[in-house]
Amino acid sequence: MAMSFFDQFASPSYLGIPLIAIAIALPWVLFPTPSSRWINNRLTTIQGWVINRFTNQLMLPLNIGGHKWALLLASLMVFLITINMLGLLPYTFTPTTQLSLNMGFAVPLWLATVIIGMRNQPTVALGHLLPEGTPIPLIPVLIIIETISLFIRPLALGVRLTANLTAGHLLIQLIATAVFVLLPMMPTVAILTATVLFLLTLLEVAVAMIQAYVFVLLLSLYLQENV
């Protein structure tokens, strides 16, 4: 029974064809169609305002060179929020619970920030590996530690997003199972448990949005160090 809880994280397939590609591509269908008019309807207006506010907040600490990443980071933010939210619906699949997918986002983007730093300002980029004023005996140790922490960054990005969404889905399924088991035996306890389940679902909606924001925010901080 315990193993069946993890079946929801297995990539679904139909006739041997993995459906994760459809789960990734389908959210783009839900976005409003671009219009030649500045303001087409309320949904487009709200969407534009939210993306504009997010982009301004994200690009505020970056210089002009980092503003080239605005479209990429804003699109990634909207994409992650959409697939995280759709994954909370019944009979759906959340692609971001797969570590391989999250690492596929994290590693290339992190590597791009490192390459940009090495190309534009190699002295400053390498200077992050050794804090100023370090005693001479500690220099080799600190360089090794900072290098390891640099290469752990993409792993931390992918694992953070995967772990938070996986834990939330597991907790929702466990509490939902408890509600069905308790309903015929103890209806009062089942109702209280269902209330907790509803509050947890609201929390997971917030987590789905916050984790997408944190993922993109950390990428922007890595970019800030290299531009």
Side-chain angles (χ1 to χ4, degrees):
M1 181 65 182
M3 293 301 295
S4 65
F5 289 141
F6 293 90
D7 292 342
Q8 59 177 316
F9 304 115
S11 180
S13 60
Y14 183 71
L15 298 178
I17 302 175
L19 300 181
I20 188 172
I22 298 178
I24 295 175
L26 184 61
W28 296 110
V29 181
L30 304 178
F31 299 141
T33 304
S35 173
S36 58
R37 300 172 58 185
W38 283 67
I39 299 179
N40 190 24
N41 51 46
R42 289 187 177 91
L43 180 59
T44 306
T45 304
I46 294 175
Q47 175 183 308
W49 179 83
V50 171
I51 295 177
N52 185 40
R53 293 293 299 174
F54 163 73
T55 306
N56 289 338
Q57 185 69 25
L58 199 64
M59 296 293 111
L60 192 60
L62 299 178
N63 55 24
I64 300 299
H67 291 180
K68 300 176 182 178
W69 285 60
L71 180 60
L72 174 62
L73 295 180
S75 301
L76 180 62
M77 168 80 169
V78 174
F79 176 71
L80 290 178
I81 287 180
T82 306
I83 58 179
N84 289 350
M85 297 286 287
L86 290 177
L88 295 174
L89 297 176
Y91 303 104
T92 56
F93 171 68
T94 311
T96 44
T97 56
Q98 304 292 316
L99 182 60
S100 57
L101 177 68
N102 296 332
M103 293 301 294
F105 284 129
V107 173
L109 293 173
W110 164 82
L111 187 59
T113 61
V114 174
I115 293 175
I116 287 176
M118 293 294 183
R119 185 188 65 179
N120 295 340
Q121 43 183 14
T123 304
V124 177
L126 293 176
H128 291 301
L129 301 179
L130 184 63
E132 186 177 356
T134 303
I136 295 178
L138 296 179
I139 288 179
V141 178
L142 281 180
I143 290 178
I144 294 175
I145 293 175
E146 291 297 329
T147 303
I148 293 175
S149 67
L150 177 65
F151 283 95
I152 284 179
R153 284 180 174 182
L155 181 62
L157 279 176
V159 171
R160 179 186 292 106
L161 183 58
T162 304
N164 281 281
L165 294 178
T166 302
H169 283 64
L170 278 176
L171 194 56
I172 287 177
Q173 185 169 355
L174 285 170
I175 297 179
T177 304
V179 172
F180 282 106
V181 171
L182 293 173
L183 190 58
M185 298 183 297
M186 294 179 286
T188 305
V189 178
I191 293 175
L192 293 177
T193 308
T195 304
V196 175
L197 177 62
F198 175 74
L199 296 177
L200 179 63
T201 304
L202 295 180
L203 177 62
E204 283 305 308
V205 171
V207 168
M209 294 185 290
I210 291 173
Q211 288 305 315
Y213 175 75
V214 169
F215 189 92
V216 178
L217 179 62
L218 290 177
L219 280 176
S220 69
L221 294 179
Y222 299 157
L223 180 64
Q224 183 181 353
E225 295 179 359
N226 294 283
V227 296

